[in-house]
Amino acid sequence: MDRLMGLPLPQCNYYLFKHLNQESVESNLPRFANCVIRFPLEDSSVSGTIIMAEGDPSDAVLFVGISLVLGIACRHALGGTPVPYTLALLLLGIALGALEYGTHHRLGKLGDGIHLWANIDPELLLVVFLPALLFESSFSMEVHQIKRCIMQMFLLAVPGVLISTFCLGAALKLAFPYNWSWKTSLLLGGLLSATDPVAVIALLKELGASKKLSTIIEGESLMNDGIAIVVYQLFYRMILGWDFNWGGLVKFLSEVSLGAVAMGLAFGIASVFWLGFIFTDTVIEISLTLAVSYLAFFTAQEGFEISGILAVTTLGMFYSAVARTAFKEESQQSLHHFWEMVAYIANTLVFILSGVVIAESVLSSDIIFKTQENSWGYLVLLYVLVQVARAIVVGVLFPFMQYFGYGLDWREATILFWSGLRGAVSLALSLSVKRSSDNSPYISPDTGDLFVFLTGGIVFLTLIVNGSTTQFILHFLKMDNLSPAKKRILNYTKYEMLKKALEAFGDLRDDEELGPADWTTVRRYIKSLNDADGEQIHPHSVSENNNILDCMNLKDIRVRFLNGVQAAYWIMLDEGRINQTTANLLMRSVDEALDLVSHESLCDWKGLKSYVNIPNHFKFFQSSIISQKLVTYFTVERLESACYICVGFLRAHRIARAKLHDFIGDSEIAAMVISESEQEGEEARHFLDDVRVTFPQVLRVVKTRQVTYSVLIHLIEYVNNLEKIGLLEKREMIHLHDAVQTDLKKFLRNPPLVKTPKIKDLISANPLLGALPATAREALAGSTKEIMRLSGTTLYKEGSKPTGIWLLSNGVVKWSTKDTSTNQFLHPTFTHGSTLGLYEVLAEKPYTCDIVTNSVVMCFFIETEKILSVLRSDPAVEDFFWRESTIVLVKIMLPRVFEKMSMQDLRTLIAERSILNVYIRGKSFELLPQSVGFLLEGFIRQQGGEEEMLTAPAAILPCPDQSFSQSETLAGAEAGSSYRQVPVYQVETRSRVIIFDIAGFEAGRSLQKSTSSLISHSADRHSGSFGREHSGLINWPQHLLNSSRHDGETSGDNAV
């Protein structure tokens, strides 16, 4: 039996068939632990076949366990040393492979496990490990850095891979004695162009080197792995006899690369959409990211025969850009730790397995030691050529990389050249070539062995030479040094740490049970603060006037401040103060501002302006083909998003200013940064003030959402804390926790929305329509058009023919006129509740001013014909319309007197202290000193005077030559005119005049209202209900219509 163990499979089968029967084989089965026996029985005769298996599959688990233990030991032992962790793993893998081969495969189950893994299918190796490594790496990258460095990554990944492939392919064809064809040489050159600088990236992150450089190197690795595999597939198909013309070549490359990008985006969009329906379930969220990475890779690679690497890389970058804020604080930490662990396990197994494969392939190949004795020398030559090719790639592309993105200096280009390590992708592709060469007429087995030997050797040499010396090169180039500003902050922080330690000792030094502690002993164990003795020096204090250091300090504080702002955004996201979309926008603005801190003041608001202001394409919504309900919905949603942005921006900056002052104290540089922050917030505050006036319900809904979320989160924390301190049992806690979680889930899926009042309610609340008789109101309501207008839209122009009236429901409009006498005013605006264009419609005159929206405006439009038809139905309605029209008219005619008066004051003045009279030709009337009149229709002239005839519309002052300066009060005008003769005006044609009794009123103060007034006094208050939200639309008193008839009757008597 023993002789069988060393025999090849055919001889083993023959021996068993000739000399053993079934019974003897079964009796000796324990000695054939690695054999699978099949006996197809025919009658009583025995015939059989024995197939040598690779071992017990459970042995593979043993290899995994031992590999992880070795990885843990390496990571623990090499912490803080310049030796790369991955280099130690590769050496251990080579040692394991050599040990298993050197002992003639007699390591028992460990040897069987090593043998199983060493003979793993290369494609299976890629499918098992690559998706996890690619997704973790691309997901951990910052999307802003990717955007800025994408062109440099593309240059290195696409033109760089092609240049490297042709350089190495030409060198292999011309300088190596293997007589390979150009296709075979280019095939090896292509698979050697896939970089895997995991050791360099880890080192750059550990040393805190340039984030830009690590992004370029890592992004190049992710992209060129996919491009290198595409190039490998291209030349491999050419070797197999496929013919490509240029059109077919472009089609193939486009389908494989662009199709992979589209596949990654499709999986990303679908999974992120699904993620939105998962509610605080960390296990499901993490499982979804794991599943979608493998499914995307498999679907792309096997289903559509496109690049799985590019698909997963695109997927990870999409998650980094869109879905990072979809995970709350606990889920995000768990997700980070999970993928960090997955990447650690995958890297550990990949590099140990790579070492095993390299050792097994080299030691078991006769061509390396017998046929091609000089292969070791050619391996060293190939390593030199790989470095030369890398230098050519970086050198040729260096001028372009200097131009794009953040640019690139010569020191960074040096590290970029030296970081061209090779890894698992190149090795797996070479193993694939070796496996196909065993049964392929196009590639010889010797060529397959050389591919594995040369590729494995390059992986080993780049890792052991480049990987182990990168830290020394970084130090030599002074790329790992801290700037003077950072050193000063570091020393300052140590003193602050010492103060905190003393504060903690003061709180803990005495104990009721144990008594006092010994500070000297405590201090001896805190060696990290030993150099904090002596006088503390503020980081921004310099002995001399050093402008360079001041600039460095200013840049450093700006960076720290913006980092604090971004940290505040994360906190607000967890607290529910901002939503996921808003958080992405806010954080992106900080990333963009960080790029400009060296030569600009804080400018993170600049990137948010376009999201706060209403974009130009929204003007398309105002066209008649778009439903007004859709216009209202999208406009209000835009306002709501803008409010979230402004509130989040202001709060984050306020938090960052407080934190910066607490940390750095009083400092001129810190004060400059704080001042820049306060100036940035002015525009956001102004926007919120405008919304508070125009659409207060939007702010109310935003605040309601924040409070609701915070209260529910507080309840969850309270219940969890009760269980933690033992006052609630686990079962009780789960019951209460699930109840609150249900409420939170309902809230997140159906949050309170900004409810636009129904047109019926708005009409009822409107001061014009709401005060009309039912018949008149219904007649106008049926023809009322609800319209939403964006800021800057012209409602009508001065001098144009009136087509109708505008009733403002929400928003602010700004008026202007060509009349220079009315140019001296502070707030030429009308707010909600104003009726615009009514006077012009009644008087049949052109519009008296320009009206332009100063914010988003919701209004109603009623055509002129509808107004005139209602006028003819009831004289009281006509009287009421004329009174309503004077509200706008008085602000335009005498803005210096009435511009500070609210709508409530004006309506009270008109309702309770005014008389509207109609005079016929030849009649006259007096204007008392305590009164101001307005000529609405007709022509009048002062008796005994030489003044010109007054034409409607015109203001009638107590004294014709009286004028009011902007600072002069109306009371002063009264005092000045009290000793003058009372003017008498002669009516030239039928005239309509309204006269206000302004006794006791002072301009600039609120009108002293009569306690018997029936007018609502809540105009300037805002609350939650619809009525109170629109309380500024002050309704006329109900008694006005009744009394108006009486006024009409008495006006005739007065006119006689």
Side-chain angles (χ1 to χ4, degrees), residues 767-1023:
L768 175 66
L769 299 178
L772 293 175
T775 55
R777 182 169 63 250
E778 291 173 1
L780 290 179
S783 59
T784 300
K785 298 178 182 179
E786 182 183 5
I787 298 175
M788 179 75 75
R789 287 291 182 259
L790 303 181
S791 179
T793 304
T794 300
L795 297 185
Y796 56 76
K797 286 185 172 293
E798 181 179 359
S800 60
K801 181 180 179 180
T803 58
I805 66 173
W806 300 81
L807 311 178
L808 295 189
S809 177
N810 283 96
V812 176
V813 298
K814 189 173 183 178
W815 64 271
S816 61
T817 178
K818 299 175 183 178
D819 187 359
T820 57
S821 63
T822 61
N823 288 338
Q824 302 280 332
F825 44 81
L826 297 176
H827 303 288
T829 57
F830 296 114
T831 60
H832 58 286
S834 301
T835 304
L836 307 176
L838 180 59
Y839 171 76
E840 290 85 344
V841 170
L842 297 176
E844 298 181 0
K845 292 179 176 291
Y847 287 122
T848 57
C849 64
D850 294 337
I851 296 291
V852 180
T853 58
N854 201 39
S855 69
V856 177
V857 171
M858 182 184 293
C859 55
F860 302 111
F861 179 75
I862 305 177
E863 296 177 352
T864 300
E865 292 77 9
K866 302 297 180 180
I867 297 294
L868 297 179
S869 65
V870 172
L871 286 178
R872 292 188 288 268
S873 63
D874 189 346
V877 172
E878 181 181 8
D879 182 83
F880 173 74
F881 276 2
W882 280 107
R883 290 177 182 272
E884 174 72 16
S885 68
T886 58
I887 297 176
V888 172
L889 191 64
V890 298
K891 286 205 170 192
I892 296 175
M893 301 300 297
L894 288 178
R896 289 165 290 180
V897 178
F898 293 100
E899 64 98 12
K900 291 185 179 181
M901 292 183 66
S902 66
M903 288 293 173
Q904 180 177 348
D905 291 338
L906 278 173
R907 285 203 167 94
T908 304
L909 178 66
I910 293 172
E912 300 184 354
R913 299 184 183 181
S914 69
I915 298 176
L916 179 64
N917 290 327
V918 177
Y919 299 97
I920 62 175
R921 177 181 174 85
K923 298 299 180 181
S924 62
F925 64 91
E926 296 180 349
L927 185 65
L928 299 178
Q930 294 83 13
S931 302
V932 172
F934 285 89
L935 177 63
L936 303 178
E937 282 186 306
F939 300 91
I940 62 173
R941 187 192 304 274
Q942 185 180 3
Q943 289 184 355
E946 298 180 357
E947 290 80 5
E948 295 181 359
M949 184 181 301
L950 293 178
T951 304
I956 309 173
L957 302 179
C959 184
D961 59 349
Q962 179 69 43
S963 62
F964 303 108
S965 65
Q966 188 171 356
S967 59
E968 188 179 7
T969 66
L970 199 55
E974 298 171 13
S977 60
S978 59
Y979 55 86
R980 299 176 185 268
Q981 184 179 0
V982 176
V984 178
Y985 290 90
Q986 183 71 34
V987 177
E988 299 294 330
T989 63
R990 182 180 181 275
S991 302
R992 192 184 303 270
V993 178
I994 187 170
I995 298 176
F996 302 113
D997 178 12
I998 56 175
F1001 175 77
E1002 292 183 2
R1005 288 179 50 190
S1006 296
L1007 188 64
Q1008 304 299 317
K1009 302 175 182 61
S1010 171
T1011 57
S1012 61
S1013 174
L1014 299 178
I1015 294 181
S1016 170
H1017 295 171
S1018 59
D1020 301 323
R1021 297 196 303 268
H1022 305 290
S1023 60

Side-chain angles (χ1 to χ4, degrees), residues 735-769:
H735 176 76
L736 295 174
H737 185 274
D738 290 345
V740 181
Q741 287 278 14
T742 301
D743 292 339
L744 184 57
K745 186 184 299 184
K746 291 179 180 179
F747 165 73
L748 292 177
R749 291 180 177 174
N750 298 290
L753 301 176
V754 178
K755 294 183 179 180
T756 304
K758 297 180 180 180
I759 187 170
K760 179 180 179 181
D761 298 329
L762 288 174
I763 289 175
S764 300
N766 186 268
L768 175 66
L769 299 178

Side-chain angles (χ1 to χ4, degrees), residues 5-203:
M5 304 308 297
L7 292 177
L9 177 59
Q11 297 181 24
C12 181
N13 291 337
Y14 178 79
Y15 183 89
L16 289 171
F17 178 76
K18 294 290 290 182
H19 299 286
L20 297 178
N21 55 26
Q22 181 177 1
E23 181 180 356
S24 61
V25 171
E26 290 177 349
S27 63
N28 289 279
L29 188 59
R31 305 183 62 184
F32 294 90
N34 297 332
C35 297
V36 177
I37 305 169
R38 298 178 187 146
F39 286 95
L41 299 178
E42 298 178 0
D43 299 330
S44 60
S45 62
V46 177
S47 64
T49 304
I50 182 167
I51 302 173
M52 294 299 295
E54 300 297 334
D56 188 351
S58 62
D59 296 339
V61 180
L62 177 63
F63 174 76
V64 172
I66 292 178
S67 298
L68 292 178
V69 170
L70 292 175
I72 294 170
C74 287
R75 181 163 178 165
H76 178 72
L78 297 177
T81 66
V83 180
Y85 159 72
T86 52
L87 173 59
L89 294 179
L90 185 68
L91 293 176
L92 284 174
I94 293 174
L96 283 176
L99 181 64
E100 198 273 337
Y101 183 84
T103 56
H104 303 287
H105 312 292
R106 292 180 180 176
L107 290 180
K109 288 186 173 294
L110 175 60
D112 294 339
I114 294 174
H115 196 59
L116 278 169
W117 280 96
N119 290 279
I120 189 174
D121 190 313
E123 293 186 4
L124 181 61
L125 180 67
L126 290 176
V127 171
V128 170
F129 294 113
L130 266 187
L133 290 172
L134 292 171
F135 184 84
E136 187 275 336
S137 183
S138 56
F139 181 51
S140 63
M141 297 176 69
E142 295 183 10
V143 63
H144 178 70
Q145 294 285 329
I146 295 174
K147 287 169 59 180
R148 294 299 303 270
C149 301
I150 189 67
M151 282 304 301
Q152 293 154 319
M153 292 155 53
F154 175 82
L155 288 172
L156 290 169
V158 182
V161 167
L162 296 178
I163 294 172
S164 175
T165 298
F166 284 100
C167 288
L168 292 175
L172 288 166
K173 174 65 178 177
L174 301 176
F176 283 64
Y178 300 134
N179 296 320
W180 289 340
S181 65
W182 275 103
K183 296 177 183 178
T184 305
S185 300
L186 290 172
L187 178 66
L188 181 58
L191 65 88
L192 284 176
S193 298
T195 60
D196 186 15
V198 60
V200 175
I201 294 170
L203 184 62

Side-chain angles (χ1 to χ4, degrees), residues 131 263 267 288 290-301 312 315:
M263 181 68 67
F267 271 90
L288 178 61
L290 180 64
V292 75
S293 61
Y294 278 90
L295 285 175
F297 186 89
F298 178 82
T299 304
Q301 197 80 18
V312 177
L315 173 67

